[in-house]
Amino acid sequence: MCGIVGYVGSRNAAPIIVDGLRKLEYRGYDSAGIAIHDGKGIEIVRALGKLVKLSDALEKRPLNGTTGIGHTRWATHGRPSEVNAHPHAAGPVAVVHNGIIENHVAVRAELEGQGIKFLSDTDTEIIAHLIHRELDQGAPNLFEAVRKALGRVVGAYAIAVVSRAEPDVVVAARFGSPLVVGIGEDEMLCGSDVTALLSHTRNMVFLEDGDVVELKQNGYRIETVNGTAVDRKVKRIDWSAVQAEKAGFKHFMLKEIHEQPDAIEATLRGRIDLQNGDVHAGEMGVTPEFAKTLGRVYFVACGTSHHATIAGRYWIEKIARVPSVTELASEVRYRDPIFFPNDLVVAVSQSGETADTIAAVKAAKAAGAQVLALSNVLDSALPRMADGALYTHAGPEIGVASTKCFTTQLAALLLLAIYLGRQRGALSKEQGQEILQALWETPSHMREVLGDADYMHVIAKKLTHAKDVLFLGRGLGFPIALEGALKLKEISYAHAEGYAAGEMKHGPIALIDENLPVFVICPRDSHYDKTLSNMQEVRAREGQVIAIATKGDEAVMELAQHMVWLPKVNDDVLPLLTVLPLQLISYYVANLKGNDVDQPRNLAKTVTVE
Ligand code: AGP
């Protein structure tokens, strides 16, 4: 996730673009850059780190001109560095991009074969070269060149482009990544969201996938990539600046909850080989040979990431048939753990900077184990230490309570299990296809569940005075019970326990009375009958059951006070859905209590201390 801004008009473009980028910094802050047409040519200034570094650079080297583009980066391909910072130039054009180009390796090889030299490690640079090639091959203008070049690109993008030959034009386009056009007075803008544009105009056009737009000072035109002219409605946006930064949501956490379907799509993009029921290994560093011979998958992680690894362990054992354990990193580092050289140690961490997880990885490396880092932050400490990386590509998560980073970790872990299963021959092509198909359909099922948010609000209202809450689940429902409890306690400050439903009779059952709300994760999976019995045990003691169940389940309906319905899906993708109502309910409870949802008391987003 990156932020892009484009401007063409009569004012000096650079301050307007930098101001827009400041509003988009929540989308990434690894580097920033700007390209301005100064009437003679295109001048580019880029800087590693937050936007303030770009501002400093612009003070030393001011850029003047009325047309330009800018970018704030969340690195996905190529480490954060000035060389990988956008804009990327090729011949007369400069490009900024938000998204992931899936076929960049093949296109890059083709262009290199034609003698083109690449300066960065980014996927974006191919777009600049493709546009340049179209211009060289006779495209009449930048708009046509961009349209044609995008015909070669597979993946997700929002781009903005300027060209030396057209000092008063910005061309922009989107597919799979957001892009908004702002219609000002004697000026036109574009940006990744309305926040970047609101101080200049409230009249916006939300581009659709496949749209290419040409912006000039006094107007714009839109065509599809295929060359059909289209008309998009102009909408008036009345949000305040603060509302806009959160895309109209009250808190970042709520926004991030709703971003999950898109985030999962980003995790899956370019990794699924549906035809062969397989997964592309990418940068994982796990060769097919090692996958065949490894003796154990050993997960280390903390907090929410640890919960994801419990699901990971289930999948690895079930799908890849490899022994697997998961340990809290904070425990591993102070024990005398045993690692073997044929262990694959998988460190799962949103930030990639968690001190306990780093210490556990050091112990694993010292013992000669191979380490894979599963992280959201490119080139953070853990991926740098590890032998390979599996990035979730969820984009920055601002809310301290992890939501989209948890579900994208789940998706990535399921991909890892399928990859290992296929290499080891434990999973047939058809079985692989079945799970991958289910995973592929998950974002649309997530949208369906998130569509019931208002009902989660109703349930939350009943829980605002609850002092204790129990969460129960079996199998893949167990880590979700743990995660549901963690979400509720960290932002609503209610005491909550997550338990394996089968453990209830070994202690927590003593807590149950008419005052105890009990969430039971009870979809129609292979544990269904057993979990239903646990639900009956709760009801027999007057506990208040809130069930997360499969649509239309009458047996559950008879027992539960509140029902949250899920679509019927493949068992293996269930945790990506069952957690959604729990995230939403926790959010609403905390909000109803007036808590600081995005920055709950005593917590930090990245825990770089013991
Ligand atoms: C979860 O909502 C918390 N933010 C916390 O438990 C978090 O998952 C934990 O601190 C681990 O962080 P990491 O994924 O960045 O390593």
Side-chain angles (χ1 to χ4, degrees):
M1 199 158 119
C2 305
I4 68 174
V5 180
Y7 176 87
V8 51
S10 52
R11 294 190 283 161
N12 198 17
I16 295 169
I17 291 169
V18 171
D19 178 60
L21 294 177
R22 196 165 293 121
K23 313 274 173 34
L24 296 177
E25 229 185 342
Y26 76 89
R27 301 176 65 86
Y29 36 77
D30 291 328
S31 62
I34 187 167
I36 297 290
H37 202 304
D38 65 4
K40 294 188 217 101
I42 290 169
E43 294 292 322
I44 294 178
V45 173
R46 306 184 292 184
L48 177 63
K50 292 194 169 189
L51 194 62
V52 65
K53 301 278 186 202
L54 178 68
S55 299
D56 292 347
L58 285 168
E59 266 190 25
K60 287 186 199 118
R61 195 182 143 207
L63 297 183
N64 291 306
T66 54
T67 302
I69 54 176
H71 188 269
T72 179
R73 180 168 188 241
W74 174 259
T76 60
H77 290 72
R79 57 180 308 183
S81 66
E82 195 177 319
V83 151
N84 288 331
H86 300 215
H88 291 287
V93 300
V95 177
V96 291
H97 165 227
N98 165 34
I100 295 172
I101 305 304
E102 288 175 28
N103 62 339
H104 74 104
V105 175
V107 176
R108 187 177 176 126
E110 175 193 322
L111 293 169
E112 281 174 336
Q114 293 169 0
I116 289 170
K117 295 262 175 295
F118 278 75
L119 301 175
S120 77
D121 307 317
T122 64
D123 51 343
T124 304
E125 199 181 336
I126 66 150
I127 304 177
H129 288 295
L130 286 171
I131 298 169
H132 180 201
R133 191 172 70 175
E134 291 299 338
L135 286 168
D136 270 357
Q137 291 175 352
N141 52 39
L142 183 62
F143 184 68
E144 289 304 314
V146 170
R147 228 176 36 71
K148 288 195 174 130
L150 290 176
R152 288 295 321 279
V153 168
V154 177
Y157 55 77
I159 59 166
V161 193
V162 287
S163 166
R164 193 191 308 138
E166 293 172 62
D168 52 359
V169 172
V170 171
V171 174
R174 74 155 277 181
F175 192 93
S177 300
L179 194 64
V180 188
V181 169
I183 304 167
E185 268 188 34
D186 280 339
E187 59 190 15
M188 294 292 303
L189 303 101
C190 63
S192 296
D193 71 28
V194 296
T195 354
L197 317 182
L198 262 186
S199 35
H200 309 288
T201 178
R202 293 189 172 271
N203 297 323
M204 310 277 181
V205 176
F206 291 83
L207 294 183
E208 294 186 12
D209 279 350
D211 285 356
V212 185
V213 62
E214 181 186 56
L215 306 174
K216 290 187 173 179
Q217 182 178 350
N218 292 313
Y220 66 99
R221 62 171 166 141
I222 306 174
E223 283 184 16
T224 65
V225 174
N226 303 326
T228 313
V230 283
D231 205 11
R232 303 282 177 226
K233 253 200 192 130
V234 179
K235 292 191 182 156
R236 191 165 167 82
I237 305 296
D238 290 319
W239 293 347
S240 70
V242 174
Q243 267 178 315
E245 198 185 8
K246 294 169 184 143
F249 291 102
K250 189 172 175 190
H251 293 101
F252 279 110
M253 180 183 176
L254 188 59
K255 173 172 173 275
E256 286 155 7
I257 289 173
H258 284 277
E259 276 174 357
Q260 288 177 103
D262 291 349
I264 297 293
E265 279 166 2
T267 308
L268 301 182
R269 197 165 284 133
R271 289 184 166 142
I272 289 183
D273 173 3
L274 204 52
Q275 209 177 353
N276 294 307
D278 207 343
V279 166
H280 301 297
E283 310 163 271
M284 276 197 275
V286 182
T287 61
E289 295 67 43
F290 183 61
K292 282 185 193 102
T293 54
L294 66 90
R296 181 171 66 158
V297 176
Y298 194 125
F299 289 106
V300 289
C302 301
T304 288
S305 299
H306 171 66
H307 298 156
T309 68
I310 300 174
R313 178 189 168 199
Y314 282 31
W315 284 318
I316 295 286
E317 291 189 338
K318 177 184 164 203
I319 295 171
R321 303 302 297 152
V322 189
S324 181
V325 291
T326 177
E327 293 268 7
L328 290 163
S330 53
E331 285 295 310
V332 171
R333 68 178 297 190
Y334 294 115
R335 281 209 332 258
D336 199 0
I338 298 170
F339 293 107
F340 300 108
N342 67 343
D343 273 346
L344 175 64
V345 172
V346 184
V348 179
S349 171
Q350 184 285 130
S351 60
E353 302 285 350
T354 299
D356 287 329
T357 314
I358 289 172
V361 164
K362 281 184 184 157
K365 281 190 79 79
Q370 176 160 337
V371 177
L372 167 63
L374 196 160
S375 177
N376 188 41
V377 182
L378 197 93
D379 227 31
S380 50
L382 281 163
R384 279 204 310 271
M385 293 166 68
D387 302 294
L390 178 52
Y391 289 108
T392 49
H393 298 314
E397 193 176 63
I398 312 286
V400 164
S402 186
T403 52
K404 64 175 179 172
C405 285
F406 175 66
T407 45
T408 52
Q409 285 170 345
L410 292 175
L413 287 165
L414 186 49
L415 292 177
L416 173 65
I418 295 167
Y419 174 72
L420 295 179
R422 291 290 289 130
Q423 308 316 306
R424 296 170 69 88
L427 187 76
S428 69
K429 177 173 126 182
E430 291 71 25
Q431 289 167 321
Q433 285 171 328
E434 196 180 316
I435 307 171
L436 287 170
Q437 183 63 38
L439 199 47
W440 188 245
E441 290 166 7
T442 296
S444 90
H445 289 133
M446 290 176 115
R447 288 186 184 101
E448 195 181 327
V449 177
L450 293 170
D452 283 339
D454 287 349
Y455 182 55
M456 311 309 160
H457 195 215
V458 171
I459 297 176
K461 282 184 185 158
K462 315 257 178 210
L463 295 174
T464 45
H465 299 294
K467 292 223 165 4
D468 301 283
V469 182
L470 190 59
F471 291 76
L472 299 174
R474 279 173 185 266
L476 288 165
F478 170 49
I480 301 307
L482 294 175
E483 178 60 9
L486 178 62
K487 282 291 88 86
L488 190 68
K489 63 187 144 195
E490 71 181 330
I491 57 169
S492 85
Y493 315 142
H495 170 243
E497 295 269 3
Y499 255 89
E503 275 288 295
M504 187 176 67
K505 56 188 174 294
H506 299 291
I509 199 163
L511 293 172
I512 295 172
D513 64 16
E514 69 279 9
N515 297 316
L516 187 76
V518 184
F519 281 85
V520 186
I521 297 143
C522 188
R524 283 241 175 216
D525 60 7
S526 56
H527 302 271
Y528 173 77
D529 292 334
K530 298 276 175 239
T531 318
L532 196 65
S533 304
N534 297 130
M535 201 185 288
Q536 275 154 344
E537 287 158 16
V538 174
R539 279 307 295 142
R541 287 154 187 85
E542 306 289 327
Q544 303 294 303
V545 173
I546 303 145
I548 317 294
T550 307
K551 216 175 266 174
D553 188 327
E554 291 185 5
V556 173
M557 225 186 304
E558 273 180 26
L559 290 170
Q561 273 68 36
H562 296 285
M563 303 289 318
V564 177
W565 292 128
L566 303 174
K568 175 81 189 119
V569 296
N570 179 297
D571 282 9
D572 284 315
V573 299
L574 269 168
L576 285 102
L577 300 183
T578 50
V579 74
L580 303 180
L582 305 184
Q583 294 170 342
L584 280 168
I585 291 167
S586 298
Y587 167 78
Y588 286 124
V589 172
N591 185 43
L592 286 164
K593 285 178 152 183
N595 294 354
D596 185 345
V597 174
D598 284 332
Q599 291 179 329
R601 68 185 185 201
N602 306 337
L603 288 173
K605 182 76 187 160
T606 303
V607 187
T608 51
V609 292
E610 277 184 45

